[in-house]
């Protein structure tokens, strides 16, 4: 099969980052294995972190942790999907036996395998995963769009679900970064919460996209602190730099919560500010299998629609460079 | 009446910090005013911050925000307490009309008055406060011990109550700092949560006091990170320095929460650590009137007992210096 | 002033139920009293219960517990509203000092006064209430519509807020009874929850009104059990008869909750059914001051709009008979 | 192997109910099967319901859904337990793939198998179950006591855990029925909640046992309503008759919750009472795998100790009759 291979770290992220190669199609070996014929694989900022060496992986490596496709072959004990089913892939492979999984927190299963991170991913024609990672979708579903739910949409949903528990009628939520995750978060949050939503970005086109989803307030990043100091019950930060963090914390009202999803920098604050305003800071890590079912329900019922830019699999370098250079509106996906 | 007056900022906290003086007894003027004859007033690290200039106040100033005593005179519309009642004083004076108070969060009432901070406090024979700040206690109650509940005990209780919502059977909670607040937190948390409690301090006597409350695990501050890395569901930090903060964050398990009560320094962490381990950081600010009722119930039913060191009112300088020099076990109180 | 007076119990609810009379305008006496010039007073099924003798009151009595109007005179210590302000009236008068109020639960204040129930109500030109019951609204607000929020809207909101905490994406909520409360509940729930909402009534016009609010599923009461057995995460019952109760319980999924707001009959179920399906049953009683602020926010921002039928104050008998005979669409209000 | 077989329904529960017989030892067939050599199997009121025909099962039947023992043989894919391990058995067998299980609610897995109910149970020398039902315990653990955790202890724990979320400092919890489940509930609740606990039974010996666990208040069933009307935040009903239900509802304070665990009768109440006092009624069904881990932790750490009466396996009839006749203190277990 064709696949895109990353042969070395490229700290500068310059020139050719990955290359097309031929590989043996992965084989179903274990009784719960599932081989998926890839329809689309999302291109994520994490892929740039891997190529740049910030997130260490074994070399050579096949990227692609956001995958959707068609079941191609199943192991001997698989009962819930069969060849030909359309599926999206929960990003983690595990056996369901750990204590954390027994409580519903599949995203923290010990020794889990994450294709595209610590196993070959979906920048390829076929992906090997397992039955517990399968979410079946209708034949009519748009797999290219749905692929982006399995990481971008999932993390955005987990953040918004957490936010919605904290937000009441009349409260304000600020969403920083209207990109791959943030453009989904705007759509999700307005569906699951009555809060006033403020979309923030440093690009006017991104703010225009946010407005197109039906929210009434947008704000350029440079004006955020001045406009919303002390007003937000929740800030969702999908950028995650030192400066977005500082602005986010300043915008929190008493008892407010800063949800960190983007991971580029650090958070620093005085204890006095944390205490006197009972500020909360929380990291959000991907999401659970049930949460992926839920955000998929939102997409299938038409309330959330991922904006995608399609690239042929062999144009992976182009997609990665476009992401690096801020040229992607929504999310890029590779089509084998 | 006699009172202790602070006439100037003393950045070095050296020599005489406050002095005894005579003053006019405060008068009941407004219909909800209550004058309390002070039985005891707690000596708090915040008093040192005020004297040292870290927390600005009007000069001259009467310290003392942790007060208990006997109702001496009431305003014309007061109905729930009467002269002679024994009371402890909720630290905030407000009118109960704000939205935040209507939701039960009295501790964040706008324009609230806090005797000892922005009004004359309880380092005196009499204190002027109001009806909404009154919590009546039985005649047999020990007012000297109970005084310490109104700030130290209240903040410790609010932190422990929050912790108890996060802690389940088999989980570990770490309490850093077994001083004025921490020695109450150990007693409170073991009463309201089944979690395993680890008491941490850099003094062996403080650990011995923690053990005397019936917990099984103590740890010297220097050994904390090495012994409990990644193991705690909650860390309650009553010290609040840069180094306790770093240690606390390292000790958190996936999804764990760092509760900040002490406020000496800053919190700094990478976003990646926050996200990959879904760590939470939360500031705790004093507590509500209902929470003060609850911790008082714990004390009156014998499950929490403040350890106090009594000083005569005129020995306020000695008490403040003893606190500064780490010579107080539990909490110091001034007796007029 | 003119007022409508109920001079006796009328078990059959036949003929003249109440009558117009002249009375002395109520006087502001206490420092927190507020006299409101009534703009509109809602007509509630509870009024019929009072007239019919199901809910005992002192005779003669002035009905009207759902009130809005203009502040006409204030007591000496009132600071948050002034003559001329437009207001809606929280239905309970209390002093804010009880433990339950300190926790935010004003609706359960001991010894509270409820105009229209245990004090003269708003079927009159003027109403005497107090400062803590005031919610100020803009001059442009429609007081006739907003009056209905203070009981119908408030109870509907409290029920929907509780429901929203139980409902997730993809879950089903059933609302039984699209009348005075239910028509507001449909609008509220679709604003604050992503759940699938099913509106149920035995009148097609009521279902048509529900559809007009943008929900996609309606069901005649007679078809409810057969269509939705075991499918609902929450059922909100605004009718509250023995038969709606039986149907509601049958429609619950495992872990589902039956919220009882209408109060005409009884609830009966086997323990085995409760246990094997972990069914929950909860009564909802009016709502808190903060909740009234929140539902008012929804109305002022255009997301909830009460449907009202206006009657002149002197036509109170007609309004009450129309309610009894099922001729009101939405809520009737009396205009002095 | 030896087993106890129930050959027919016996509505009167008179005479011989079950009999000893020889059977083929069950075989490990599927890759996740586990065969357990039974150390003890609890005798439950549900067993009497089955024999009496109230809970229909296939005939002939082997009772016993509360099991502990030693792993005897494992299927080819089992990795987390091995021959010789001491284990207690979660009562449900399922594959972990359903949506409800992915959320952590194993106790509601569709098509689950429950040995002793819809498959052969543990009144035998060997039991066939699966890997997901295994909870490993130390070699030193007392399997005869721990067996009772797997249903009695589990349901008691789930009820107490739910109660503890509703109970604060100073609140009152009433536990009705100090038998097989209730004697565990008293121990559990006092460990995980600071609430005041009232133990209720109609036998003085049961109340004496409750007192021996360190609670201060007991009450004869006949005095319950009169003594505690309107005072309880939670009532846990382990008896579950029409009369305990009526008493429980009368004892609830505003906002209180009636937790139904015993299932002998019905619950009936007027809607008016539910509403005016915001009463809640909730059924509790067994518990989850994680909850079984948690209550096992409580037992292994010495904070909960099941009181058991041992019977030889061949004395099953005697044990069942003793349970029927109220002669068991705590829980009866059969030892093969």
């Amino acid at each position: 099969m064709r696949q895109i291979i990353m042969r070395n770290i490229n700290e500068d992220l310059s020139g050719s980052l990955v290359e097309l190669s031929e590989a043996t199609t992965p084989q179903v070996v274990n009784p719960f294995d599932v081989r998926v014929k890839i329809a689309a694989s999302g291109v994520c900022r994490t892929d740039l972190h891997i190529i740049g060496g910030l997130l260490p992986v074994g070399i050579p490596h096949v990227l692609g942790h956001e995958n959707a496709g068609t079941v191609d072959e199943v192991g001997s004990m698989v009962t819930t999907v069969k060849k030909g089913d359309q599926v999206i892939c929960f990003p983690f492979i595990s056996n369901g036996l750990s204590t954390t999984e027994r409580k519903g927190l599949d995203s923290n299963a010990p020794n889990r395998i994450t294709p595209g991170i610590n196993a070959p991913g979906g920048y390829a024609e076929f992906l090997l995963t397992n039955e517990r990672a399968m979410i079946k979708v209708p034949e009519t579903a748009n797999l290219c769009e749905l692929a982006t739910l399995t990481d971008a949409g999932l993390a955005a949903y987990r953040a918004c679900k957490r936010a919605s528990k904290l937000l009441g009628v009349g409260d304000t939520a600020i969403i920083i970064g209207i990109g791959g995750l943030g453009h989904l978060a705007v759509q999700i949050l307005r569906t699951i919460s009555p809060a006033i939503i403020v979309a923030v970005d440093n690009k006017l086109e991104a703010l225009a996209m946010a407005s197109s989803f039906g929210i009434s307030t947008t704000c350029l990043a440079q004006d955020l602190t001045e406009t919303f100091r002390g007003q937000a019950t929740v800030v969702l930060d999908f950028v995650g730099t030192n400066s977005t963090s500082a602005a986010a914390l300043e915008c929190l009202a008493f008892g407010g919560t800063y949800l960190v999803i983007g991971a580029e920098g650090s958070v620093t604050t005085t204890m006095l500010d944390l205490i006197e305003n009972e500020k909360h800071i929380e990291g959000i890590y991907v999401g659970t299998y049930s949460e992926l079912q839920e955000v998929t329900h939102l997409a299938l019922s038409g309330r959330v629609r991922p904006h995608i830019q399609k690239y042929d699999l062999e144009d992976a370098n182009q997609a990665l460079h476009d992401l690096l250079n801020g040229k992607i509106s929504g999310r890029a996906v590779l089509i084998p």
Side-chain angles (χ1 to χ4, degrees), chain A:
Chain A
M1 66 168 187
R2 288 172 303 134
Q3 69 179 17
I4 296 295
I5 201 146
M6 164 194 158
R7 295 205 187 275
N8 43 256
I9 303 299
N10 183 329
E11 287 184 17
D12 301 336
L13 297 173
S14 63
S16 176
L17 306 173
V18 293
E19 61 181 67
L20 188 69
S21 74
E22 272 297 315
T24 312
T25 303
Q27 297 302 304
V28 164
V29 174
N30 296 312
F32 293 110
D33 281 355
V34 174
R35 185 170 65 203
V36 173
K37 186 172 190 324
I38 293 293
S41 185
V43 179
C44 177
R45 194 161 296 271
T46 300
D47 296 333
L48 295 176
H49 292 169
I50 292 171
I51 296 168
L54 295 178
L55 180 57
V57 300
I59 297 287
H61 181 59
V62 181
L63 296 162
H65 55 273
E66 249 186 26
N67 301 300
T70 308
V71 172
D72 187 62
E73 191 181 338
V74 300
S76 59
M77 292 186 65
V78 171
T79 56
T80 54
V81 290
K82 62 178 192 307
K83 185 175 167 69
D85 285 345
Q86 288 213 119
V87 293
I88 65 173
C89 303
F90 182 63
F92 304 118
I93 302 175
S94 63
N95 66 8
L97 290 170
S98 67
T99 293
T100 191
E101 290 164 280
R102 293 306 282 265
K103 289 182 177 170
L105 193 61
D106 315 75
S107 47
N108 190 33
N111 306 318
R112 64 190 178 276
I113 292 165
T114 312
I117 307 286
N118 61 2
Y123 282 23
E125 284 185 275
F126 292 94
L127 175 78
L128 193 64
T129 176
N130 82 348
E131 183 177 23
R132 284 179 67 84
M134 296 290 96
I135 290 188
K136 231 170 120 172
V137 294
E139 273 190 46
T140 53
N142 183 328
L143 290 178
C144 297
E145 288 180 8
L146 294 182
T148 69
L149 297 184
T150 66
D151 179 33
L154 179 52
Y157 181 74
R158 184 169 175 85
C160 290
K161 188 173 178 179
R162 175 66 183 142
S164 78
K165 290 192 196 306
L166 303 166
L167 289 162
V169 165
D171 291 338
T172 294
I174 295 174
I175 298 179
I176 302 178
I178 313 302
L181 280 77
H183 89 287
L184 294 169
V186 170
Q187 298 177 69
I188 294 165
L189 193 58
R190 77 179 283 278
T191 299
I192 68 174
S193 167
I196 299 154
I197 298 172
V198 178
V200 178
D201 205 292
N202 53 20
K203 288 185 290 189
L204 287 170
E205 316 91 88
L207 298 183
M209 187 198 279
S211 295
S212 76
F213 300 136
I215 64 166
S216 55
T217 311
T218 62
C219 179
L220 276 168
Q222 65 202 53
D223 302 328
L224 176 57
T225 310
E226 197 176 334
T227 317
F228 292 99
R229 181 175 285 113
Q231 293 182 41
T233 297
V234 181
V235 179
L236 303 94
D237 185 354
F238 292 98
V239 175
T241 59
N242 293 2
S243 68
T244 58
S245 163
L249 286 166
E250 280 204 62
C251 289
L252 290 183
F254 187 94
T257 299
Y258 171 37
L259 296 178
V260 185
I261 310 100
E264 306 285 320
S266 290
V267 178
T268 299
T269 176
T270 65
M271 287 166 173
L272 206 61
D273 183 42
L274 279 180
I275 290 170
E276 290 195 336
N277 300 293
E278 288 209 333
K279 292 183 179 175
H280 292 204
I281 303 168
E282 305 184 2
I284 296 284
Y285 178 69
V286 196
T288 67
Y289 182 88
S290 315
E291 287 167 345
L292 184 51
Q293 290 181 308
E294 290 162 21
V295 70
T296 302
H297 178 94
L298 287 181
L300 293 174
S301 63
R303 286 176 285 178
V304 169
R305 181 163 185 196
H307 281 228
I308 56 172
Q309 286 184 216
K310 295 185 188 180
Y311 293 80
D312 288 340
L313 180 61
E314 47 261 47
D315 297 331
N317 270 305
Q318 187 63 49
L320 288 162
H321 278 292
D322 285 355
L323 175 61
L324 183 62
N325 296 318
K327 294 186 179 162
I328 306 290
S329 164
R331 194 78 163 179
V333 296
L334 300 180
I335 315 290

